[in-house]
Amino acid sequence: MEEVIRFALLGLGIGATYALASQGLIIIYRGSGVLNFALGAIGMAGAYAWWELTANQGWAFLPALIAGVAFSAIIGALVHLLIMKPLRHSAPLVRVIATLGVLITLQAIAVLRYTATSKFVPSDLPTDIVDISGSIVISADRLILLGIAAALTLGLWLFYRYTRFGLATAAVSESERSASALGLSPDRIATLNWALGCGLAGLAAILIVPIVTLQPAVLTNLVLAATAAALVAGFRSFPIALIAGLVIGIAQTEVTRYVDQTGVGTAVPFILIVLWLVIRGQALPLRDYLLQRLPTIGTGQIHKVGLAIATIVGVVLLSIMSPIWIDALTVTICVAVILLSIVVLTGYTGQLSLAQFAFAGFGAWVGGRLLATTDIPFILGCLAGIAATVPLGVLFGLPAVRTRGINLAIVTLGLGSAVELVLFSNTDFTGGFGGTQIGDPSIFGLDINAASHPTRYGLMALFCLVVATLIVGNIRRGRTGRRLIAVRTNERAAAALGISVPGAKLYAFAVAAAIAGLGGILTAFRTPSISFAIFDSFTSITMVAYAMIGGIGYLFGPVIGATLAPGAFSERLLNEIDSGIGKYIPLIGGVALIVLLLVNQNGIVKEQIAQIAFLRTKLAGVLPFLAPKEPKPRVLPAPQGEGQIKVSSKTLEVDNLTVKYGGTVAVDDVSLSVKPGQVMGLIGPNGAGKTSLIDAVTGFTKASPGAVLRLDGEDISRWSATKRARAGMGRSFQSLELFEDSTVLENLRAASDPRDMGSYFRDLVWPVDVPLPDTVLSTINEFELEEDLDRLVEDLPYGRRRLLALARAVATQSSVLLLDEPAAGLGDAETAELAHLVRRLAKEWGIAVLLVEHDMNFVMTVCDELVVLDFGRKIAAGTPAEVRNNPAVVAAYLGEEEADDPVGAKQGSLPASISGQEGS
């Protein structure tokens, strides 16, 4: 027991530094809404500045400490002002990747300046042994570190709880727009918090250096352990972060002492990250920035002539170039395959994974160990390695079902790091110190050893790249691609269309893992002796950077991005110019990523496409064959059915529905029934619970026990939102929630596509679009969308977007349609057109319509019956004429209208704005 206590006390020092770094993450997140993956690298910069001043300039410990902390703080402020502030309207995915660019850049500078080797730094703190009890002792520097962490935690808690700046930070974290209205400057507050948070990271790095050595990779990984502590604290509580950091430090030392397995102790923070996120299953509360922009994606169309030319060029270059150039091209090809996996997972599905190089390494490990220990043929060994990564990809993807965005990036990086530490760094599993010996690989008796036959191996890798590119293109063009893009753009809208969001995510992880596994096998098998140490977690981060630079949503983007990888084409080219330039490739990649995100987050390929189109237009006068071809007019077939479209008739019954958010009752024991062919209006003042009712009925909000929801007599209370949508319950959203980077037709196809599992497999080889159902064809005609089918949604005027939102809901072939403020923002003519359409959907198509709307002219014109809510309670129901003069309804609206219409209020008639008489 005494030994357990001794090692627990030993972990207090490193735990205290984790706590300090986690406080920095919390400060930055609270002040700007950004999870700063570069925090460890910024702290590393401060640590090296401190070391330079003490070791080379003769400074005393304390002045150098202050200077190092200030250096980190200045870097933090500059990162916010120069990078994060210009990206404030970009998607969270882009902002997170920007912090990865800062991490890559700072680490590359540190390696260039100080190399990647460890520097042992003696502690400037007292190291006297303090006798606690008997044989239980602790070093004085550990107690000092604990005291510093505790004192700073208390100071930060008091500072952010009671000072004006702390209260201003809390206000900004809740709502930037509201804080701005109060005269606060979110940018100034964010800048100061970035400086303070990064200063704390510098302090933590300086204090931890004597314990873990001074080395770029070690210090940049500090952010992962700090993230685990910050997660437990909910990125809010400084005291909880302190306790969590200390527990992690103690757990590491205890596990390292008592678990005889390489890397398990170091992996403790990563394991904690995974367990915490899976158990808690909630995402960080991201800031609600307006006009957030995701990187664009390509169409997936394969230009057959272009692909043939590129393949021929590759074959020729691999056949005529010297071995050193062939190896550079082969490395580029291998990395491009891995980057294709990021296109599928991040570009198409929007899931930021920082474990793709771990997948690559695992595929190589399985294939390599099979070849080294059995007589399995080379091709079968490779296929086994690829197949083995699929279940690993699904395993890594399981947290994506309960987490998303930044949390998913954290958990995948944690899982990948755990695989690296426990598997790749353990010589017991990798063939000993000599690595895994795979001998001379051959295919059908043909030797393809990369050392003796580099051209053959390069051609084999090129073939694999072409096949992988065709597969990814097929996915994008098929039904599977529409599902993935729907999930990428808006998970709520995807679920409302009957798309299985968990299924799409797990599929993307599985396919991406298999492609990454193929790339890992191609990378590792270039040498007969495989060292799996190359598959480190930091390279997974750089892989995302390369994919982003090339174009994370484009098929050719991986080829462009892969040229920046170590040993690839760009490094070889720079070394030909000057033998010392190639080492700057990581720095060039980091800086290029940051610049690209600031200038054009869509990648180099997107810009190339635009430039080629511009040149073709300019040269068309001289070379007519270069003129862009006019798109053929789209001709839709006529509906196959005879007569008027009729949907399957179903009745929606809602009994005793209650919805609570914490202690607030949003919907209070409401019952209603909507029959086929009926339009029922759901009205009430703002905050009455109308949208909450729709969310509960469609499965997006959990109803309280006792509520019963029936669709055509079948109890659907326990069904998921996806299952309810597939059963015939469609809906629209207040904020439209269309798939902005898809065309109108793609939105409609995403709604109407069959939800069969077979397409997930068939689309890998041969994507097929099923004919549009008669319902969709009729919807296109009814809503007059023929001319807009090939337009991107983001290019449509607002009125057309409103119509498309309704059309998409109808395209699911819904029997029951729940519309949430469909006329919001429309002009009189558009509103009248919409009213006509809604009536036709009910009366002629047989759809049961539940309508929420504030435009009472619209409601009184369209609805057969009305239900009125006030503070979540049903206060009236009946025909529009009955509701118009109901005293309870008048009283509910009195607070909104009394100032404008005191006479009408006193007379007991319904205010003009809800009577349908306003403006008449």
Side-chain angles (χ1 to χ4, degrees):
M1 186 60 186
E2 288 186 351
E3 187 178 39
V4 172
I5 296 174
R6 283 201 305 271
F7 276 91
L9 294 175
L10 190 64
L12 288 177
I14 193 169
T17 58
Y18 290 163
L20 287 175
S22 69
Q23 316 279 25
L25 284 174
I26 292 173
I27 289 171
I28 293 173
Y29 187 81
R30 290 178 64 175
S32 64
V34 175
L35 177 57
N36 182 17
F37 274 113
L39 187 75
I42 295 172
M44 171 205 68
Y48 272 108
W50 164 81
W51 179 80
E52 280 273 12
L53 294 174
T54 55
N56 298 333
Q57 303 299 324
W59 284 38
F61 171 75
L62 187 57
L65 174 70
I66 296 172
V69 170
F71 186 60
S72 291
I74 293 171
I75 293 177
L78 291 175
V79 167
H80 172 73
L81 291 172
L82 301 180
I83 301 173
M84 306 314 300
K85 181 180 176 181
L87 292 175
R88 62 186 178 275
H89 293 312
S90 297
L93 170 69
V94 175
R95 297 196 295 273
V96 170
I97 293 176
T99 67
L100 298 179
V102 176
L103 186 158
I104 295 169
T105 301
L106 291 177
Q107 179 153 319
I109 292 173
V111 170
L112 289 171
R113 177 70 176 84
Y114 303 104
T115 75
T117 58
S118 300
K119 300 182 187 298
F120 294 93
V121 180
S123 176
D124 286 286
L125 300 176
T127 56
D128 301 331
I129 300 300
V130 178
D131 188 354
I132 296 178
S133 174
S135 62
I136 300 177
V137 296
I138 186 173
S139 175
D141 61 342
R142 300 299 202 271
L143 289 176
I144 294 173
L145 290 176
L146 177 60
I148 292 172
L152 283 175
T153 298
L154 177 60
L156 289 171
W157 181 79
L158 293 172
F159 179 75
Y160 279 91
R161 188 176 181 85
Y162 295 109
T163 66
R164 292 184 62 184
F165 179 79
L167 296 176
T169 299
V172 169
S173 67
E174 291 295 330
S175 173
E176 287 195 1
R177 285 184 292 173
S178 298
S180 298
L182 295 175
L184 301 175
S185 172
D187 284 331
R188 186 181 302 113
I189 291 170
T191 302
L192 293 174
N193 279 294
W194 268 81
L196 181 56
C198 292
L200 278 176
L203 175 62
I206 293 169
L207 294 177
I208 203 176
V209 160
I211 301 176
V212 300
T213 73
L214 181 59
Q215 184 182 6
V218 171
L219 291 177
T220 54
N221 287 335
L222 173 66
V223 71
L224 292 175
T227 300
L231 275 172
V232 174
F235 280 82
R236 297 190 65 85
S237 174
F238 296 113
I240 294 177
L242 171 65
I243 296 171
L246 295 176
V247 170
I248 292 171
I250 293 171
Q252 277 191 305
T253 56
E254 296 287 1
V255 171
T256 302
R257 171 64 182 85
Y258 292 105
V259 177
D260 187 19
Q261 180 67 54
T262 302
V264 175
T266 309
V268 164
F270 313 121
I271 296 171
L272 176 62
I273 287 172
V274 174
L275 293 177
W276 186 265
L277 288 178
V278 171
I279 293 171
R280 291 294 298 271
Q282 59 186 23
L284 297 179
L286 298 175
R287 295 290 172 80
D288 184 22
Y289 289 90
L290 299 176
L291 304 176
Q292 290 183 342
R293 295 174 292 113
L294 283 167
T296 59
I297 52 178
T299 63
Q301 295 293 332
I302 303 293
H303 194 287
K304 297 181 178 59
V305 175
L307 179 63
I309 293 174
T311 303
I312 292 171
V313 170
V315 170
V316 171
L317 291 177
L318 289 169
S319 302
I320 65 174
M321 299 185 80
S322 63
I324 193 170
W325 275 99
I326 293 175
D327 183 65
L329 287 175
T330 303
V331 170
T332 302
I333 293 169
C334 297
V335 173
V337 174
I338 299 174
L339 298 190
L340 272 173
S341 73
I342 300 176
V343 171
V344 173
L345 191 54
T346 305
Y348 293 168
T349 320
Q351 308 302 299
L352 178 56
S353 169
L354 299 180
Q356 295 311 105
F357 213 48
F359 293 146
F362 187 77
W365 179 77
V366 172
R369 296 307 299 161
L370 283 174
L371 291 174
T373 57
T374 68
D375 294 328
I376 189 172
F378 175 76
I379 290 181
L380 290 182
C382 294
L383 292 176
I386 295 170
T389 60
V390 172
L392 184 68
V394 173
L395 179 64
F396 275 42
L398 287 175
V401 175
R402 292 175 59 83
T403 62
R404 58 184 59 84
I406 295 173
N407 274 4
L408 184 60
I410 296 171
V411 75
T412 53
L413 182 57
L415 285 168
S417 299
V419 170
E420 174 199 349
L421 294 168
V422 176
L423 182 61
F424 300 157
S425 299
N426 192 331
T427 55
D428 294 337
F429 299 144
T430 58
F433 292 103
T436 295
Q437 310 296 321
I438 62 170
D440 294 331
S442 62
I443 297 179
F444 304 120
L446 182 67
D447 187 358
I448 59 169
N449 186 298
S452 56
H453 301 284
T455 295
R456 295 178 185 175
Y457 192 90
L459 292 175
M460 187 265 295
L462 179 62
F463 172 78
C464 292
L465 173 62
V466 171
V467 171
T469 301
L470 292 173
I471 289 174
V472 174
N474 289 341
I475 291 173
R476 168 64 183 92
R477 298 193 309 279
R479 276 181 271 167
T480 299
R482 286 193 287 271
R483 295 173 191 170
L484 299 184
I485 293 167
V487 171
R488 168 193 189 259
T489 309
N490 192 311
E491 292 184 17
R492 279 168 51 88
L497 298 180
I499 295 172
S500 172
V501 174
K505 289 182 178 181
L506 293 179
Y507 174 84
F509 265 96
V511 172
I515 296 173
L518 171 61
I521 289 170
L522 295 174
T523 299
F525 288 9
R526 289 170 43 248
T527 61
S529 178
I530 303 174
S531 172
F532 295 98
I534 64 172
F535 296 102
D536 61 281
S537 57
F538 181 77
T539 306
S540 284
I541 295 174
T542 61
M543 289 291 167
V544 175
Y546 300 149
M548 199 77 184
I549 291 170
I552 206 165
Y554 295 87
L555 295 177
F556 194 64
V559 177
I560 299 296
T563 61
L564 295 172
F569 183 82
S570 293
E571 181 174 325
R572 180 72 260 150
L573 181 63
L574 291 176
N575 282 333
E576 286 293 320
I577 299 172
D578 187 303
S579 59
I581 298 181
K583 63 183 180 181
Y584 291 96
I585 284 292
L587 176 60
I588 294 172
V591 173
L593 175 60
I594 295 171
V595 172
L596 190 69
L597 291 176
L598 292 171
V599 177
N600 178 13
Q601 66 179 20
N602 300 318
I604 293 175
V605 169
K606 172 66 173 177
E607 189 63 28
Q608 288 178 335
I609 293 173
Q611 293 297 330
I612 291 172
F614 175 78
L615 288 175
R616 290 182 62 178
T617 302
K618 290 297 183 182
L619 296 175
V622 180
L623 303 172
F625 67 91
L626 291 178
K629 296 181 180 179
E630 290 293 330
K632 296 180 180 179
R634 185 180 294 275
V635 179
L636 294 176
Q640 298 297 311
E642 297 181 2
Q644 178 61 46
I645 294 293
K646 281 284 187 180
V647 300
S648 175
S649 298
K650 295 183 180 181
T651 298
L652 171 66
E653 297 173 273
V654 179
D655 294 326
N656 310 119
L657 178 64
T658 299
V659 177
K660 296 181 179 179
Y661 301 112
T664 302
V665 179
V667 181
D668 189 359
D669 196 29
V670 174
S671 299
L672 56 84
S673 175
V674 190
K675 299 179 177 59
Q678 180 186 32
V679 180
M680 176 173 285
L682 187 64
I683 65 173
N686 288 326
K690 304 181 293 296
T691 297
S692 293
L693 186 145
I694 286 184
D695 285 343
V697 170
T698 53
F700 289 94
T701 294
K702 185 177 181 181
S704 297
V708 179
L709 306 174
R710 296 186 185 88
L711 186 62
D712 209 30
E714 186 172 5
D715 190 345
I716 63 172
S717 304
R718 297 182 180 274
W719 289 9
S720 67
T722 298
K723 189 173 181 180
R724 297 183 196 192
R726 292 181 180 180
M729 186 178 294
R731 69 164 296 178
S732 67
F733 296 88
Q734 280 184 353
S735 54
L736 302 184
E737 306 200 21
L738 297 167
F739 307 136
E740 299 287 336
D741 46 9
S742 299
T743 65
V744 170
L745 183 59
E746 285 175 329
N747 270 264
L748 296 175
R749 279 197 176 278
S752 63
D753 281 338
R755 304 301 178 208
D756 60 303
M757 293 292 294
S759 61
Y760 278 128
F761 301 97
R762 184 175 56 251
D763 284 350
L764 296 172
V765 181
W766 192 259
V768 177
D769 281 332
V770 298
L772 290 171
D774 286 355
T775 305
V776 179
L777 293 172
S778 297
T779 300
I780 293 172
N781 293 329
E782 289 281 356
F783 288 77
E784 299 180 355
L785 296 173
E786 298 93 335
E787 302 298 324
D788 297 322
L789 291 177
D790 293 317
R791 294 180 66 184
L792 290 176
V793 172
E794 62 185 5
D795 296 333
L796 293 177
Y798 183 78
R800 303 299 292 170
R801 290 155 61 89
R802 274 284 173 192
L803 288 177
L804 175 59
L806 177 57
R808 191 183 66 179
V810 174
T812 60
Q813 305 179 58
S814 302
S815 300
V816 178
L817 197 57
L818 297 92
L819 305 179
D820 198 353
E821 299 191 26
L826 298 182
D828 291 341
E830 294 169 321
T831 300
E833 179 185 359
L834 179 62
H836 176 70
L837 286 172
V838 171
R839 290 297 298 173
R840 290 195 62 183
L841 291 174
K843 300 306 178 184
E844 298 182 12
W845 292 37
I847 298 176
V849 179
L850 180 63
L851 172 70
V852 170
E853 183 55 63
H854 284 288
D855 185 338
M856 288 303 128
N857 286 319
F858 181 83
V859 169
M860 296 296 177
T861 302
V862 171
C863 296
D864 302 304
E865 292 189 21
L866 297 177
V867 171
V868 186
L869 299 184
D870 187 32
F871 292 106
R873 297 186 304 275
K874 179 179 176 181
I875 62 171
T879 65
E882 293 169 343
V883 169
R884 182 179 290 119
N885 296 310
N886 189 302
V889 178
V890 175
Y893 279 90
L894 188 59
E896 292 188 355
E897 297 290 338
E898 188 174 25
D900 295 329
D901 189 17
V903 175
K906 290 178 181 178
Q907 291 176 345
S909 61
L910 198 61
S913 63
I914 61 167
S915 67
Q917 303 299 317
E918 185 176 34
S920 60

